[in-house]
């Protein structure tokens, strides 16, 4: 039980990866603060399943004021050990779309995927300073490392920003015991992947992955729980690639 008694805020905790991470953290004894956007029933069910005093907190991260309010509610429950910036969206927009649509998609994607994490990070750092340290784990993407597809440029850019934020926080605040790392998954076995395979066939997704399999939710949960162990301090600044060698660097 490496995380026993530690409180960890997980954003987008009711999503597929968020719930896998939350379960893995709770299995290590953590008290998870289950952030959700709209699905209160799913959040309540997850918190009940997790136990260890898990609580739910709602916030629509598309609202620029929401991340700071979310942190304030989380902090009001007691000292926080770690923040997992997991919430994210992937939207499509083409260079041929009208400028107003283009702007709207870019703005929303950057707000939810990057600015919300930036604002939560700001509030978390101030809290962690008072606590003598803390952890931030960002769920980025291979898309932010190698570039992304023409119809989803904002997604890759937002994840590249999250990776750079990870490194800057690690280098700037590591000396204060505030450690930051990121996980960058390629394809993950989620509903989105299943739909892609149903539409394009398994080969379209798997042919670029030498191990011929997508990352499982269990793998991601395990890795997040491992990266947040108090003993893992030198991972500070690391971007952990979880892509079966479909992208190496
Ligand atoms: P998901 O859609 O199942 O979960 C996303 C979560 O983010 C949901 O809980 C959702 O409620 C939350 N969210 C989205 N918009 C929100 C808003 N406005 N306010 C509050 N919450 C909001 O997707 P997932 O596959 O579990 O993705 C989780 C993270 O992993 C994302 O950051 C995603 O970019 C990243 N990722 C996913 C894959 C993949 O293959 N699924 C690969 C690489 C990275």
């Amino acid at each position: 039980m490496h995380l026993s008694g530690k409180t960890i805020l997980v954003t987008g905790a009711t999503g597929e990866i968020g719930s896998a991470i939350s379960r893995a953290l709770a299995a290590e004894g953590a008290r998870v603060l289950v952030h959700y956007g709209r699905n209160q029933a799913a959040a309540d069910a997850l918190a009940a399943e997790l136990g260890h005093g898990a609580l739910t907190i709602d916030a629509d991260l598309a609202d620029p004021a929401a991340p700071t309010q979310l942190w304030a509610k989380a902090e009001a429950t007691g000292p926080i050990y770690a923040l997992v910036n997991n919430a994210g969206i992937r939207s499509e927009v083409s260079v041929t779309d009208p400028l107003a649509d283009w702007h709207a998609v870019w703005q929303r994607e950057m707000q939810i995927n990057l600015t919300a994490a930036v604002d939560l990070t700001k509030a978390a750092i101030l809290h962690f300073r008072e606590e003598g340290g803390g952890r931030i784990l960002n769920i980025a993407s291979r898309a932010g490392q190698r570039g992304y597809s023409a119809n989803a440029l904002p997604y890759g850019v937002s994840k590249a920003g999250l990776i750079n934020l990870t490194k800057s926080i690690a280098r700037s605040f590591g000396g204060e015991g505030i450690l930051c790392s990121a996980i960058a998954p390629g394809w993950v076995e989620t509903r989105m992947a299943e739909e892609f395979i149903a539409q394009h066939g398994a080969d379209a997704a798997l042919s670029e992955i030498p191990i011929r399999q997508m990352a499982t939710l269990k793998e991601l949960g395990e890795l997040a729980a491992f990266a947040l162990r108090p003993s893992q301090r030198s991972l500070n600044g690391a971007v952990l690639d979880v892509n079966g060698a479909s992208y190496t660097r």
Side-chain angles (χ1 to χ4, degrees), residues 36-233:
Y36 67 98
R38 292 203 189 97
N39 196 341
Q40 187 181 349
D44 288 344
L46 180 63
E49 177 196 329
L50 297 178
H52 299 288
L55 295 173
T56 65
I57 310 178
D58 72 308
D60 178 1
L61 299 178
D63 171 0
T68 308
Q69 291 163 355
L70 167 60
W71 186 268
K73 286 184 196 169
E75 169 175 77
T77 72
I80 300 174
Y81 165 72
L83 161 68
V84 180
N85 283 311
N86 164 74
I89 57 168
R90 178 192 171 283
S91 316
E92 304 219 334
V93 69
S94 160
V95 289
T96 57
D97 286 335
L99 189 60
D101 297 351
W102 172 264
H103 278 162
V105 171
W106 272 92
Q107 193 280 329
R108 187 173 167 81
E109 194 98 357
M110 295 302 280
Q111 168 59 36
I112 294 172
N113 289 5
L114 183 58
T115 310
V118 166
D119 289 353
L120 280 163
T121 295
K122 175 183 189 302
I125 288 171
L126 299 182
H127 177 83
F128 293 155
R129 275 186 169 157
E130 285 179 11
E131 296 298 321
R135 301 293 183 97
I136 299 170
L137 179 64
N138 293 321
I139 308 304
S141 170
R142 180 184 66 186
Q145 297 173 308
R146 72 171 195 186
Y148 207 42
S149 51
N151 60 350
L153 297 178
Y155 183 77
V157 171
S158 68
K159 294 298 185 179
L162 204 51
I163 288 171
N164 191 273
L165 176 73
T166 300
K167 295 176 184 177
S168 296
I169 298 300
R171 291 178 61 80
S172 304
F173 299 97
E176 298 180 64
I178 299 168
L179 312 183
C180 186
S181 57
I183 293 178
W187 275 109
V188 182
E189 277 182 2
T190 56
R191 278 188 299 277
M192 191 182 80
E194 280 168 21
E195 284 165 19
F196 182 87
I197 286 176
Q199 211 181 336
H200 303 282
D203 216 48
L206 300 182
S207 59
E208 63 172 5
I209 310 174
I211 63 168
R212 303 283 296 179
Q213 71 176 57
M214 296 184 182
T216 64
L217 291 168
K218 187 163 179 286
E219 281 180 288
L220 287 175
E222 280 177 9
L223 184 60
F226 180 81
L228 288 174
R229 284 185 187 182
S231 55
Q232 290 298 321
R233 295 181 58 78

